């Protein structure tokens, strides 16, 4: 007997349809799975056998062949357990009267040995692939019910194989998936502190406000204790609220990675801060089965790299593609996957190995060769992709002892939100969400050089050795400064201020 059960798979962060074909024939008892199945799919044989028997059904002592179609696409994950078990039961005649229910529904779920249906990863991207099919009905584990409910697809859940089989044969509907109560978005500070707690560093605060308003990457350079990490960890608190579309994109990635809590949609911008010992694959994504890395988990949020020069050279160099194209393509022999990676990079670094180069009170004990080697860990092409280079000075006692608090994150965030609203209206329909993501054509259209601005840019290019990419970034930053001030056009003083944030270029060229 032959049975076909509809299921779903995940490739990258996108779902696709999979047909589970089960053929039960006479012959010596055997159980084989074909169709380019990965290890965890082949291991499902033991789970399926135990689950069927412990659910009160007889497992057939026949030759069983399971084909996962399309056969040329690699299948990964444990969510094929349920459709395989249903296919075997249907082919053996144990689900009489359930043919219509099986045909019109799609099934995903991992089976426990006692027949329970366990939650799986990637349910949201699977179901989002069905949004255009209004007649689609999906049965998922109860642990994925909240996640399935936010997909907009008609979804049901079941606790175990026995209960699901009873519903199918009895003509009843399984329990309809209901989403959790909408969680309010965390406040601007969200447990990471407030900008009012940072003493002094007005120049760095202004630069980070510009970075948040335009989505610009920033590098903080200064001695130990200057406040680099403190500022970076408070940066997420001044970013604009995440939009519904952005939240859904982030939730898809977290669903594939198994990081969703309670199946809720992610309602705050991600903040990822990997340690400097991270591997290239963990940072950029990949593996034998391509999975998102830290750059993709920071999508629509912040990627914070503390002690940037301590990261391996190879780890830093893999950042060049996502910083330029806002996505990562991982290619393997049998498949390739593309992951979104549109994030704001905030990096922090000491100016030298000891950290006190240029300190007004403490001398630097590093040799010129040590300083050059330390700075050489951050390549010129990578620096060229960082919009704002911010030099921090050591904190003075009078600033530390000052009792008056600085401007709170909420006030800065209000200005950032207004600037982003201007950019959203300007870039509507283009796919870009902020000035940092503008294309070359958009830069020419929206970043016209004002009178006298060309001479300023020429002088900066000659003195600092800036590349054409750096000039484009200066124009983007100038556009963001103008947006913060509510100016329709870029002015000369905006370009002058933007150039001030390229100081590390000059230090690197002189070093």
């Amino acid at each position: 007997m032959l049975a076909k059960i509809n299921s779903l798979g995940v490739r990258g962060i996108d779902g696709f349809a999979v047909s589970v074909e089960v053929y039960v024939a006479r012959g010596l008892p055997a159980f084989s799975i074909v169709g380019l199945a990965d290890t965890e799919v082949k291991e499902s044989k033991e789970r399926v056998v135990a689950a069927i028997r412990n659910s009160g059904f007889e497992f057939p002592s026949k030759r069983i062949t399971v084909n996962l179609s399309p056969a040329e696409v690699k299948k990964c994950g444990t969510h094929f357990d349920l459709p395989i078990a249903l296919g075997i039961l249907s082919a053996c005649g144990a689900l009489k009267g359930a043919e219509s229910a099986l045909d019109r529904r799609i099934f995903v779920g991992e089976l426990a040995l006692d027949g329970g249906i366990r939650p799986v990863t990637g349910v949201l991207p699977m179901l989002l692939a069905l949004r255009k099919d209004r007649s689609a009905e999906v049965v998922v584990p109860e642990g994925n019910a909240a996640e399935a409910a936010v997909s907009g697809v008609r979804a049901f859940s079941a606790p175990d194989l026995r209960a699901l089989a009873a519903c199918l044969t009895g003509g009843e509907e399984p329990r309809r998936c209901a989403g959790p109560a909408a969680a309010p978005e965390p406040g601007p500070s969200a447990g990471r502190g407030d900008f009012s707690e940072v003493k002094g560093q007005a120049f760095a605060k202004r630069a980070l406000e510009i970075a948040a308003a335009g989505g610009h990457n920033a590098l903080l350079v200064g001695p130990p204790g200057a406040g680099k990490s403190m500022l970076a960890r408070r940066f997420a608190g001044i970013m604009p609220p995440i939009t519904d579309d952005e939240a859904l994109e982030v939730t898809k990635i977290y669903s594939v990675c198994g990081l969703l809590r309670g199946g809720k949609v992610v309602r705050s911008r991600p903040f990822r801060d990997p340690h400097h010992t991270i591997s290239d694959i963990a940072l950029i994504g990949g593996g034998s089965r391509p999975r998102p890395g830290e750059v993709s988990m920071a999508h629509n949020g912040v990627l914070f790299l503390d002690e940037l020069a301590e990261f391996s050279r190879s780890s830093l160099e893999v950042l060049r593609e996502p910083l330029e194209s806002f996505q990562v393509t991982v290619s393997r022999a049998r498949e390739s996957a593309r992951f979104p990676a549109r994030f704001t990079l905030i990096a922090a670094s000491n100016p030298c190995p000891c950290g006190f180069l240029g300190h007004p009170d403490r001398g630097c004990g590093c040799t010129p060769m040590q300083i050059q080697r330390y700075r050489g860990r951050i390549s010129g092409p990578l620096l060229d992709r960082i919009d704002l280079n911010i030099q921090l000075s050591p904190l003075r006692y009078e600033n530390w002892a000052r009792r008056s608090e600085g401007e709170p994150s909420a006030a800065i965030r209000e200005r950032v939100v207004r600037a982003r609203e201007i950019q959203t209206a300007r870039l509507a329909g283009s796919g870009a969400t902020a000035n940092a993501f503008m294309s070359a054509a958009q830069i020419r259209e929206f970043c016209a050089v004002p009178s006298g601005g060309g001479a300023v840019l020429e002088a900066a290019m000659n003195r600092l050795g800036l590349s054409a990419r750096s000039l484009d970034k200066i124009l983007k930053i100038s556009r963001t400064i103008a947006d913060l001030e509510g100016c329709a056009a870029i002015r000369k003083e905006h370009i002058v201020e933007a150039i001030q944030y390229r100081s590390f270029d000059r230090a690197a060229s002189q070093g």
Side-chain angles (χ1 to χ4, degrees):
M1 292 289 292
L2 176 66
K4 294 183 181 180
I5 307 295
N6 299 313
S7 188
L8 296 163
V10 177
R11 183 167 44 198
I13 60 167
D14 296 315
F16 65 96
V18 175
S19 177
V20 178
E21 303 171 342
V22 179
Y23 180 60
V24 178
R26 295 178 180 177
L28 293 175
F31 191 170
S32 60
I33 299 178
V34 298
L36 211 57
D38 207 355
T39 303
E40 61 263 38
V41 182
K42 293 180 179 180
E43 288 178 347
S44 68
K45 291 185 288 186
E46 303 301 326
R47 295 190 296 270
V48 167
V49 172
I52 288 177
R53 287 175 174 166
N54 290 324
S55 296
F57 298 98
E58 181 181 353
F59 190 84
S61 297
K62 297 181 179 181
R63 183 175 183 83
I64 301 173
T65 304
V66 177
N67 178 46
L68 305 179
S69 177
E72 72 275 6
V73 180
K74 193 171 185 179
K75 318 299 186 310
C76 305
T78 59
H79 57 275
F80 294 112
D81 290 6
L82 180 58
I84 290 174
L86 292 174
I88 292 174
L89 293 176
S90 177
C92 294
L95 298 178
K96 292 186 180 297
E99 292 79 6
S100 176
L102 291 173
D103 287 343
R104 72 172 187 269
R105 291 195 175 108
I106 301 169
F107 300 87
V108 294
E110 176 186 331
L111 289 177
L113 298 184
D114 62 357
I117 303 177
R118 290 175 172 170
V120 295
T121 61
V123 166
L124 183 59
M126 290 182 203
L127 269 58
L128 288 178
L130 301 172
R131 294 184 77 174
K132 295 181 180 179
D133 184 2
R134 296 185 179 180
S135 63
E137 295 183 6
V138 186
V139 177
V140 301
E142 284 190 337
N144 295 115
E147 184 179 350
V150 303
S151 67
V153 176
R154 184 176 170 85
F156 304 89
S157 64
D160 54 58
L161 182 60
R162 186 199 300 268
L164 178 59
C167 288
L168 296 173
T169 55
E172 302 176 5
E173 281 195 348
R175 182 184 302 173
R176 185 73 182 269
C177 292
E185 183 187 352
S189 298
R192 296 193 181 96
D194 196 275
F195 260 61
S196 62
E197 301 165 347
V198 182
K199 303 289 187 179
Q201 304 298 0
F203 179 75
K205 290 179 182 178
R206 167 65 173 172
L208 290 180
E209 178 181 341
I210 295 170
H216 303 289
N217 304 313
L219 171 62
L220 305 172
V221 181
K228 302 185 297 294
S229 299
M230 190 176 187
L231 283 164
R233 294 189 183 280
R234 284 154 177 76
F235 178 77
I238 65 173
M239 292 192 72
I242 193 168
T243 66
D244 291 341
D245 289 341
E246 289 174 336
L248 202 57
E249 291 174 357
V250 174
T251 306
K252 283 177 62 176
I253 297 171
Y254 277 56
S255 174
V256 170
C257 297
L259 297 178
L260 285 187
R261 296 180 179 178
K264 296 179 180 179
V265 174
V266 178
R267 286 296 179 186
S268 59
R269 293 191 179 275
F271 183 91
R272 306 294 299 184
D273 54 344
H275 193 261
H276 64 261
T277 57
I278 190 171
S279 67
D280 305 1
I281 291 177
L283 182 63
I284 202 70
S288 58
R289 186 181 87 183
R291 291 178 61 83
E294 289 290 334
V295 297
S296 295
M297 286 187 276
H299 181 62
N300 290 327
V302 180
L303 178 66
F304 174 43
L305 302 183
D306 201 4
E307 302 296 344
L308 184 66
E310 299 299 331
F311 284 77
S312 69
R313 180 67 178 261
S314 59
S315 295
L316 294 180
E317 290 307 298
V318 297
L319 291 174
R320 287 159 62 173
E321 178 192 352
L323 286 174
E324 191 70 20
S325 62
F326 316 122
Q327 64 182 13
V328 173
T329 302
V330 179
S331 297
R332 294 294 179 263
R334 289 187 175 272
E335 63 177 322
S336 63
R338 183 171 296 173
F339 304 113
R342 178 172 289 175
F343 57 88
T344 299
L345 172 66
I346 303 295
S349 177
N350 293 324
C352 66
C354 76
F356 298 108
L357 179 65
H359 197 287
D361 303 318
R362 301 186 61 173
C364 173
C366 304
T367 66
M369 182 62 70
Q370 288 175 322
I371 297 173
Q372 184 178 2
R373 188 181 299 115
Y374 184 79
R375 289 181 170 177
R377 296 178 185 177
I378 309 173
S379 69
L382 178 61
L383 281 175
D384 210 28
R385 287 166 168 81
I386 297 178
D387 307 25
L388 305 166
N389 310 140
I390 308 162
Q391 293 280 357
L392 277 72
S393 302
L395 189 66
R396 294 295 183 181
Y397 175 79
E398 55 268 23
N399 288 328
W400 177 83
R402 189 177 298 164
R403 292 187 178 182
S404 60
E405 291 189 347
E407 191 175 23
S409 295
I412 301 174
R413 195 189 201 202
E414 288 181 5
R415 295 195 295 270
V416 169
V417 170
R418 287 197 296 268
R420 280 290 184 103
E421 289 173 350
I422 294 173
Q423 296 167 44
T424 300
R426 179 191 301 129
L427 302 171
S430 66
T433 57
N435 288 336
F437 311 129
M438 286 192 295
S439 64
Q442 290 171 329
I443 294 174
R444 290 194 300 270
E445 182 179 358
F446 302 123
C447 303
V449 178
S451 176
V456 175
L457 289 172
E458 182 180 7
M461 188 173 188
N462 293 334
R463 292 178 184 177
L464 302 180
L466 301 179
S467 66
R469 182 188 286 114
S470 296
L471 292 181
D472 286 343
K473 291 189 178 298
I474 288 174
L475 288 178
K476 292 179 182 179
I477 296 168
S478 302
R479 180 66 267 174
T480 300
I481 296 172
D483 291 339
L484 283 168
E485 296 182 2
C487 298
I490 296 175
R491 296 202 296 261
K492 180 180 176 181
E493 54 265 33
H494 299 152
I495 294 179
V496 172
E497 181 181 357
I499 292 173
Q500 294 179 21
Y501 303 118
R502 304 296 302 186
S503 58
F504 198 64
D505 287 338
R506 177 172 55 208
S509 61
Q510 291 175 350

